[in-house]
Amino acid sequence: MPKRSEEMLVDLWMSLLLVWITCVPCVSMTPIIGQSKSTQTGGSAVVASGLGEGQRLLSRAKRGWVWNQMFVLEEFSGPDPILVGRLHTDLDVGGKNIKYVLAGEGAGTIFAINELTGDIHAMKRLDREEKAEYTLTAQVVNADTDEPLEPPSEFIIKVQDINDNPPQFIEGPYRASVPEMSAVGTPVTRVTATDADDPVYGNSAKLVYSILEGQPYFSIDPNSATIKVALHGMDREMREEYLVVIQAKDMGGHMGGLSGTTTVTVTLTDINDNPPKFSKSLYEFVIPEDLPTEKMGGKVKANDRDIGENSKSTYSIVEGDDQGMFEIITDAQTQEGILRLKKPIDYESKRAYTLKVEATNTRFEPGSNGPFKDTATVKIVVEDSDEPPVFSKPMYFLEVNENAPINTVIGTVTARDPDSSGSLVRYFIDRHTDLERQFNINVDDGKITLAKPLDRETGHVAQHHSHCHRSQVMDINDNAPEFATEYEAFLCENGKPGQVIQTVSAVDKDDPIQGHYFDYRLVPEMLNNPNFTIKNNQDNSISVLAKHDTFRRQKQEMYFLPIIVTDNGNPPMSSTNTLTIRVCGCSKDGIVQSCNVEAYVLPIGLSMGALIAILACIILLLVIVVLFVTLRRHKNEPLIIKDDEDVRENIIRYDDEGGGEEDTEAFDIATLQNPDGINGYLPHNDPTAPPYDSIQIYGYEGRGSIAGSLSSLETASSDSDQNYDYLREWGPRFRRLGELYSVGESDRET
């Protein structure tokens, strides 16, 4: 029974196998309507199923190719071309004379096909970022006639991406800002990196962001690349700018990914989080009682650590000015509070005032504790001034009889000195109002008396008007102000524009009641001066400022700046004073070192005296060298002036040895004493004899040796002082000649 079961199972499998063999070819011949190709994603080979010999072909609208989608890896290189895929048609059966033809993008240059097998190879390295896919056309033709056997079919070769491009921040480096004191998590900015790799294939273009530098102040979202505040209470007044380094890494941030970085400069913007603060809690000013209204009596300043509009403040008087004597305004340029008089003050009435001044920010942040403010105390001391006397009445009416005698007392006027000193008052009549001198006044008590008789009937007016005034001697403005001293300013070459060169003040010999007030200005032709300007210090002085930093001594060593000073007298007086400005060389600390052009070219550390001493030493050394050379030349000159002709040029051949003493007797010693002859006479007895001043005389007069002759010559002349000098000069030379002629014949010839 088991054996029977096994046989039945084998028969069943054989039947199924026969059915499969019979049915599969039929299925493969089913026409594919409207489809020219099918793609399988599992491989890289393109396969077309074929028909067996003798099988019936079914009719169809278009012969279709069947292959897998082709891919080639970018940047791949090797010793041989890369096999991309294989084309195959069902016509390619044994014995068929066919060949494969490839056309389209890159055919024949980038891609090549084996005509017999249909293998497609990539001949070059490909870059997906340059071209991601290529569209080609394949066709089967007769190998002999090139006649197409099937219609051409189109297919695509895609370049498969690899991670060969790092992320890049195209718009970096970045700048961003965020308000100071922002809450944690406040967005600052967003940065974006790009990756040239394929974003849909793998993780080559999947970027993850991180922060490399900038913690713990800032953080970044790894996916959106949004930078956020990470630290609470970041104060601009402590630190204003931060440098943040951001990294973008592909491959999802995993190991082996490529990365790129950029920088983000984050600036904290200011908010009004600091109140104004007075530099002092108590200010003290002394104001003269005759100070005109709306004139400055003092300045206060509240500093604010904020900047821009957040640092601006306004000033007000909040206490101590019940009578409204003062006001305080804000200088828009310097942010100072200017204290001024609204009403005249009187030393005799009140000698001191104590005010409370408040500085308040003009702008504050909504929701803050503002507006921010600060207060300070201002103490004002009134200074006494010399005030004119004051009459008890503004006008006096006096009556007198027309027949009153002269010196009759008509009436009395009284005046007092309002100053605390209570000075005595003297009285005078203004004669401009009493041209006829009808009245007199007592200078001490103010009694007015009649100086001339008055008669109504004679035509005198019934009323006379006289003006009395005090005897105080009043100063008139008859002196012009001038510089307090002869100023000479020094300007450093390496100075900065806007630096104060000199502070200038003026003096006036006059003594006006209201005090001095000087106005400074440049002369009209210097208003557009390109080098200097002046600034009023509000204390009867000015500061002279430089406009640029290109002053050079070699270009111009000295400048003259005319300044006009005008007082506030009636009428005002003015004078022109010239400020001399020297351009100097200074150290890095601004200390003046030298102010003349000569010193500019001297080496650092050498004075003019040192250079003169060095020059003198050089001249002295040159003089010594010249003297030394002169003495050397003088020493080398011969004691006896002879011809420039070398004595060796006069040597002739001596054929035989000398004759001994005969030569000595034959030699005339007078010739040695004076080669040119004694008293111009040469004893030439024989016209054929050679001259005595040559060596040939020995060949003519004797045959003795020269050495022997010289020996006798020296002996004969030993007692002669006259010949000694000559022998000392020429003796060694003749000895040398003797030695030359003492050698053998062959040696002499040599």
Side-chain angles (χ1 to χ4, degrees), residues 96 121 156 220 226 240 273 408 412 492 517 661 711 717 719:
K96 287 288 185 178
H121 291 83
I156 296 175
I220 188 170
T226 301
E240 185 175 5
D273 58 339
T408 299
T412 302
C492 292
Y517 178 77
E661 296 179 356
S711 230
S717 60
D719 296 332

Side-chain angles (χ1 to χ4, degrees), residues 66-233:
V66 180
W67 55 65
N68 293 329
Q69 190 170 13
M70 294 186 184
F71 293 92
V72 60
L73 196 64
E74 72 168 329
E75 304 293 348
F76 183 83
S77 62
D80 300 320
I82 309 167
L83 178 62
V84 179
R86 175 175 298 173
L87 299 179
H88 189 73
T89 178
D90 51 6
L91 297 178
D92 189 5
V93 294
K96 287 288 185 178
N97 191 15
I98 66 172
K99 68 176 181 180
Y100 294 92
V101 178
L102 189 64
E105 297 177 333
T109 56
I110 301 177
F111 302 101
I113 188 170
N114 190 311
E115 296 179 349
L116 300 178
T117 64
D119 292 341
I120 299 176
H121 291 83
M123 310 301 293
K124 297 181 179 180
R125 176 186 295 181
L126 302 178
D127 187 357
R128 190 202 68 85
E129 285 70 44
E130 292 182 3
K131 189 171 179 61
E133 60 181 34
Y134 297 84
T135 302
L136 297 102
T137 302
Q139 191 174 21
V140 178
V141 299
N142 188 292
D144 297 328
T145 63
D146 289 336
E147 181 181 356
L149 300 179
E150 287 188 354
S153 294
E154 186 180 87
F155 67 96
I156 296 175
I157 298 178
K158 291 188 175 181
V159 182
Q160 192 171 9
D161 183 53
I162 65 171
N163 188 22
D164 60 340
N165 291 280
Q168 292 183 347
F169 292 90
I170 305 300
E171 299 177 0
Y174 299 85
R175 298 193 67 91
S177 61
V178 64
E180 62 175 330
M181 298 297 177
S182 295
V184 175
T186 302
V188 178
T189 187
R190 183 174 181 266
V191 297
T192 303
T194 59
D195 196 317
D197 293 324
D198 192 351
V200 298
Y201 179 78
N203 293 327
S204 297
K206 184 178 181 181
L207 304 182
V208 173
Y209 298 88
S210 61
I211 185 167
L212 300 182
E213 184 179 336
Q215 302 96 339
Y217 310 103
F218 300 96
S219 62
I220 188 170
D221 187 282
N223 298 317
S224 66
T226 301
I227 301 174
K228 301 177 181 179
V229 174
L231 186 65
H232 177 73

